[in-house]
Amino acid sequence: MDADLLRALAIDAADLEPAPPWAPYRGTSTARIDGSRPCVSCGQPARATRVVDVPVLGPRWLDTCRDHFLAAARLLPSRMPSTAEEIVADLREAAREAGADLAIVTDDGVAG
């Protein structure tokens, strides 16, 4: 998926700065967004960053301006559930992992 993202943004992975393998949230780092780094696509000041996994090269920083961040976000599949059933399933799984009791109340009554 990261390779597709880099290809869509016309970015050569070899031009990206190496990122540490421990970068939080796959590279989200407010410390990098200080206006000093350019967008890897257009050179404007970067406003967002993430880490991409590059075969052979390893983790790399992907610094983007607002417009290229939004373009990249549109290329990524949503990780959010889109139906009520998927949302309820996610809530049940989170409650199970947390060891919490869960009751979901809807307009139709208790869903479980």
Side-chain angles (χ1 to χ4, degrees), residues 27-64:
T28 304
S29 173
T30 55
R32 282 188 70 85
I33 306 303
D34 60 4
S36 66
R37 289 180 178 78
C39 172
V40 294
S41 288
C42 70
Q44 294 296 313
R47 299 290 180 232
T49 191
R50 63 177 286 192
V51 170
V52 292
D53 292 319
V54 179
V56 180
L57 297 176
R60 298 289 168 157
W61 288 110
L62 179 65
D63 301 312
T64 54

Side-chain angles (χ1 to χ4, degrees), residues 13-112:
D15 293 338
L16 301 176
E17 289 181 53
W22 48 262
Y25 303 108
R26 308 266 318 129
T28 304
S29 173
T30 55
R32 282 188 70 85
I33 306 303
D34 60 4
S36 66
R37 289 180 178 78
C39 172
V40 294
S41 288
C42 70
Q44 294 296 313
R47 299 290 180 232
T49 191
R50 63 177 286 192
V51 170
V52 292
D53 292 319
V54 179
V56 180
L57 297 176
R60 298 289 168 157
W61 288 110
L62 179 65
D63 301 312
T64 54
C65 65
R66 178 192 162 278
D67 291 344
H68 285 106
F69 166 77
L70 292 173
R74 284 190 290 271
L75 295 171
L76 299 173
S78 173
R79 292 183 179 94
M80 296 297 297
S82 59
T83 67
E85 292 79 15
E86 291 171 331
I87 293 168
V88 169
D90 280 2
L91 291 171
R92 283 188 177 127
E93 178 63 18
R96 187 191 63 73
E97 288 176 8
D101 291 328
L102 175 69
I104 300 171
V105 180
T106 68
D107 291 342
D108 298 330
V110 177

